[in-house]
Structure formats: structure tokens, C-alpha cells
Amino acid sequence: VSTQSTGKKCGMKCPPCNEPCKWQCVHFECKRLCHEICDRPVCNHPCPSLLKCGHPCLGLCGETCPNLCRTCKPNQEAFELFFGSEDDLESRFLTLSDCQHSFVVQDLDHWVENQCAEAAERTVIKLPECPRCKTPIRNALRYSKYIKQNRMDVERVKAKMFEQHEKKVRMLKEIKKGLSEELKEESKSPISRELSRLKDYITRERAPIEQVQLSVHRVKIFTDTRKWKKTLKQNLQKTYSQYWPTLQQIINAVMIKIIHICSKLNNFSITNERFTHLQERLSTLQIVGQAKICAFLLQHSPKAEHRTEFALQRDRFDSIERINEDENRVFNEESRKIMENWLSPMLKQLIQMAILVNERAEIARVMGFSAGHWFKCPNGHIYAIGECGGAMERAKCPECKADIGGENHQLVANNQLATEMDGARQPAYPTFAPRF
């Protein structure tokens, strides 16, 4: 059983020893690693060694020879009646290296086994102890399975005890990192002063517990909002680059309102009910921001059906704006889910449409065709006609096997001009082709 120091403070998790197990004798050998439960039995063969006095060793094979001799030192403590079999001349002894007390092996085996069974029954993690002095038995190879099991149990308890602590440490690191990133992004915005204050609170080692709790509340609001803002920025900045300045203003307007929410968290005695309301207000503001973005993109969409959708939903968007203006109003859980189920798919569709438009424009640019060379089969799969742009050959769509192309500059009747690729309203070759 390894007793090497790990260099860590007591109570910290210890790495398992991966050295080969050293418990072996001429009869048995453990093939496992030091930290693993041994796969060999105990050896009850008498030790063949002789003591320095020339008399036979009273120990067992593979164990440290006890410094006991019935002939030379018949009055040693180990020979006094303790368990009851010490006066048996056939008894074999084991010396515990932790305290140097020696006992008849058979008796000590029963003692250790009973102690461990009792501890297990009481769900107590406890090493077996010396019967005389109660010193914990840590270094007896014969009882390694009990000792190693005890250490495994201790490590499991350590892991459980420190799991929450480590989680909090990771969260604080993430919060600090998030605040640092936010400070870089918001260095010139009204948010920067509030973020700096929050970072100072978190990094103080002995800040009052109320202040720390309050800071955690405020940091949670900012980190949640940062993730919301970061997600929108990732999805919108490149996809709608032409509208990004306006979209950014919409997002920043929400962030300013969040500063106002945080200003209400200056009272250390804020109730959980009040904090819950502020969190609900935060969620409401995020829905407001999402609604404003959707409304703007619908109004400026090149597709007529999107502009029609905005007109149909105008009253709904206006009602959301009224909630935005009243800081005491929030969406309850049911209303929030309804709004999210309405707005999230809409925003996703608008983003996907813009990505598709951008990708098609990039493909058209790379191919180098002038406008009017792109067509689509009856199922909407897009293909290009080179040269002059007039159809001279029939083929099959690689996606659905429908007829594509045409003959003598005449497009197959059920094919169409793909205006979504390059905005063309007529084919490059001045021959009639059905328009999209």
C-alpha cells in the first residue's frame, strides 16, 4: 500500500498510485497496480526464515518477520493472553508496522474483518485499528483490500465534497472571463462602468457575503445577456451586414434597459421575489429585442410575403412594444413560451434565408456568369447554362432526375429562371423562359 506524499494539502483529492503492486511471495503475486484491489489471496504458509538468534521465524511467508522468539524472549507482550490463542505453540504472528504491536494472525484477521463489517453496516468510512492502541492500520499488506477500499471510499467522499466547490470556482472563472470580454466589447458604452464594478466585487477575497451574493445576481444578469447578445451578433452581423448598424442599435437599447435593472440591485436586502421579477423583466426585454429585430427584417425583406407577414402581425408587434415601455410589465411563463415559439422560428427562417441568398450570390460571383444563366428544375433544384445562356441540350437533374436544359435555345417548359441566384428578371439568351 503506497504511503508516498502527493505534495497536496490534506483534504484535497489524491491521484492514484500507478506503480505495480509490491505484494508478492514465493506462492502468490499481485498483478495489479498499487491503487487497485489486489487479485491475490493472503498467504498462510509459515515463514521459512530464521531469526538472528537462529530460531525459526514465527511469522508468515511474504510478511515482515516479527521480532518475536518464544525461546529467547518468552515474556514478550505478544505472548500474553489477549485474544486467547497466544499460548498455542503453533500460532503465527503478524507485526503491525504502524504501531509495532504483534498479534496471532488468525485472531487479527477476525478482528480486522469484524471491524470493517461493522463500519460497512453503519455506513462509516473507517480504517481498521490496532486492537491494543487503536492506531489506524494503514500499511499492512495482508489487509490491503480493506485499506485500499477505505482509500477509494475517502476519495469518493472528497470528490463529492469538492465537486460543488470546483463548480463554483469554474463558474467564477467563467464569470471573470466573461466580464473581461464584455469590458473589451463595451469599453466605450455606458455598460463599462457597471461591468468594472461587478468585476471588482467578484475579485475581492473578503467582500461581505451580502455584497458577493448581490454581485453574483448582477453578474448572472450580465452573463445571460452577454450570451444573448453574442448569439444575435454571430447570427446577424455577417448575414445582414447592410443592416447591422441598425440591428446593433436595437440590441444596445435592450442593454441600456438592463443597466437600469441592475441599478435596482443596490439594496443588499433585496427579496428573492423582487429578484425573480427582475429576472422575468430581463427575459421580457430579450423577447422585446428579438421582436424588434424580426419586425425590422420583415419590413426590409426582399420577399413580398415577409412584408405581408409584418402587416398582418403589426398589432402583435405593437403590443410587445407597449410592454417594453412599462418596466413593471413582464411576460409570464406561458406568455413567454408563446412568444418564443412565435419569434424564434421566424428569426431562424429570416437568418437562413439571408444565408442562402448570400451563398447563392457568392456562387454566382465565383462562377463568373453574367445575369440570366441560372435556372431551376420543376422541384426547385438550381443549375447553370454556360456559353450564351441558351439551352441546347437536355439532361437530368442530379438531385431528382427531372428534365432540365432544352434544345435550340428553348428551355424545357416546366423549368424556370432562378432569379434568386443573381436577381435576373430574364434569361441571358433572349428566348422565352418561364420566369420565377
Side-chain angles (χ1 to χ4, degrees):
V1 182
S2 174
T3 58
Q4 295 180 0
S5 172
T6 63
K8 295 188 176 184
K9 293 182 179 180
C10 181
M12 298 180 68
K13 291 191 292 184
C14 298
C17 177
N18 290 315
E19 295 292 324
C21 181
K22 297 180 179 179
W23 189 21
Q24 58 183 331
C25 67
V26 296
H27 302 100
F28 305 106
E29 179 182 3
C30 179
K31 301 292 186 181
R32 294 183 176 175
L33 299 178
C34 179
H35 74 276
E36 298 176 320
I37 301 295
C38 294
D39 61 358
R40 56 153 285 180
V42 296
C43 184
N44 292 318
H45 292 275
C47 177
S49 302
L50 295 177
L51 300 176
K52 292 181 179 179
C53 62
H55 295 112
C57 174
L58 298 181
L60 292 174
C61 175
E63 303 290 347
T64 302
C65 294
N67 187 22
L68 302 173
C69 182
R70 289 188 183 276
T71 304
C72 300
K73 300 177 181 179
N75 296 322
Q76 287 179 288
E77 182 184 53
F79 300 137
E80 297 175 358
L81 285 179
F82 187 81
F83 283 114
S85 58
E86 288 78 8
D87 58 353
D88 186 346
L89 298 181
E90 299 298 324
S91 294
R92 291 284 160 176
F93 291 80
L94 178 71
T95 299
L96 298 174
S97 60
D98 298 289
C99 61
Q100 298 304 311
H101 286 124
S102 301
F103 302 92
V104 175
V105 172
Q106 184 179 359
D107 295 333
L108 188 58
D109 286 349
H110 288 307
W111 168 266
V112 170
E113 184 178 348
N114 290 336
Q115 273 207 320
C116 293
E118 181 182 349
E121 185 177 347
R122 295 166 52 199
T123 63
V124 174
I125 300 176
K126 182 181 179 182
L127 283 167
E129 298 173 341
C130 170
R132 287 189 183 274
C133 65
K134 307 305 179 186
T135 298
I137 301 173
R138 303 177 186 276
N139 299 291
L141 289 173
R142 187 177 182 85
Y143 307 121
S144 63
K145 71 174 182 180
Y146 301 113
I147 298 169
K148 291 179 179 181
Q149 185 60 57
N150 176 271
R151 291 188 177 181
M152 289 179 182
D153 293 340
V154 169
E155 290 305 314
R156 276 195 289 269
V157 171
K158 285 183 185 179
K160 190 171 182 179
M161 288 177 59
F162 287 98
E163 181 179 1
Q164 190 65 25
H165 171 73
E166 291 173 354
K167 183 179 179 181
K168 288 181 180 179
V169 170
R170 288 194 300 270
M171 288 178 62
L172 285 176
K173 287 182 179 179
E174 182 64 25
I175 289 172
K176 291 177 187 177
K177 180 181 177 182
L179 288 173
S180 298
E181 292 176 356
E182 193 70 26
L183 276 168
K184 290 178 183 178
E185 294 183 9
E186 305 288 348
S187 58
K188 296 182 181 180
S189 77
I191 296 173
S192 59
R193 181 182 301 174
E194 185 66 26
L195 291 173
S196 297
R197 187 186 309 167
L198 295 181
K199 188 175 181 182
D200 289 342
Y201 286 161
I202 287 296
T203 53
R204 289 179 188 173
E205 294 183 0
R206 296 187 178 181
I209 186 62
E210 295 87 356
Q211 191 180 70
V212 173
Q213 290 174 341
L214 183 60
S215 297
V216 170
H217 289 335
R218 296 161 76 146
V219 167
K220 182 175 180 359
I221 289 176
F222 271 97
T223 51
D224 288 348
T225 309
R226 181 177 64 83
K227 291 177 182 177
W228 172 78
K229 177 182 176 181
K230 185 176 182 179
T231 300
L232 288 177
K233 183 177 180 180
Q234 288 174 340
N235 290 329
L236 297 173
Q237 189 172 18
K238 291 184 179 179
T239 309
Y240 285 100
S241 56
Q242 71 274 34
Y243 300 133
W244 176 241
T246 303
L247 296 173
Q248 192 173 27
Q249 289 178 5
I250 294 174
I251 296 172
N252 285 340
V254 173
M255 298 296 286
I256 295 300
K257 288 184 176 290
I258 291 171
I259 293 177
H260 184 62
I261 288 178
C262 282
S263 68
K264 298 179 180 297
L265 291 174
N266 290 326
N267 185 357
F268 289 160
S269 61
I270 186 170
T271 63
N272 290 333
E273 183 179 359
R274 178 59 176 161
F275 179 67
T276 299
H277 172 78
L278 294 176
Q279 283 186 308
E280 290 175 346
R281 181 61 182 166
L282 169 64
S283 299
T284 299
L285 287 174
Q286 291 179 351
I287 291 174
V288 167
Q290 196 171 2
K292 283 177 170 289
I293 290 170
C294 286
F296 178 84
L297 295 179
L298 287 174
Q299 292 179 80
H300 293 82
S301 174
K303 289 194 171 186
E305 57 263 37
H306 286 162
R307 298 191 294 275
T308 302
E309 175 69 13
F310 172 75
L312 294 173
Q313 299 291 346
R314 183 65 180 262
D315 291 343
R316 202 172 188 182
F317 283 119
D318 289 344
S319 67
I320 294 175
E321 179 59 29
R322 287 193 291 272
I323 292 177
N324 176 41
E325 294 171 355
D326 186 349
E327 65 179 30
N328 292 318
R329 294 183 65 185
V330 297
F331 288 117
N332 59 32
E333 185 176 356
E334 182 179 358
S335 299
R336 189 161 57 247
K337 287 182 179 179
I338 292 173
M339 288 297 172
E340 289 173 351
N341 291 337
W342 173 52
L343 292 170
S344 295
M346 181 188 299
L347 183 57
K348 183 178 180 180
Q349 182 186 33
L350 289 167
I351 291 172
Q352 288 176 341
M353 182 204 71
I355 291 173
L356 185 60
V357 169
N358 293 340
E359 287 177 348
R360 286 172 174 172
E362 180 63 16
I363 291 172
R365 185 189 68 79
V366 171
M367 294 296 290
F369 293 135
S370 59
H373 282 259
W374 296 93
F375 301 87
K376 56 187 176 183
C377 76
N379 296 313
H381 300 126
I382 295 174
Y383 64 94
I385 297 178
E387 303 297 337
C388 65
M392 294 297 293
E393 182 180 353
R394 283 177 174 266
K396 295 292 184 181
C397 174
E399 298 290 336
C400 65
K401 307 306 179 184
D403 289 337
I404 60 175
E407 297 173 340
N408 300 320
H409 298 106
Q410 293 293 325
L411 195 66
V412 175
N414 58 2
N415 281 213
Q416 296 178 329
L417 182 68
T419 60
E420 61 266 35
M421 286 297 295
D422 53 14
R425 305 307 299 173
Q426 63 182 15
Y429 190 85
T431 301
F432 172 78
R435 297 184 183 180
F436 175 66

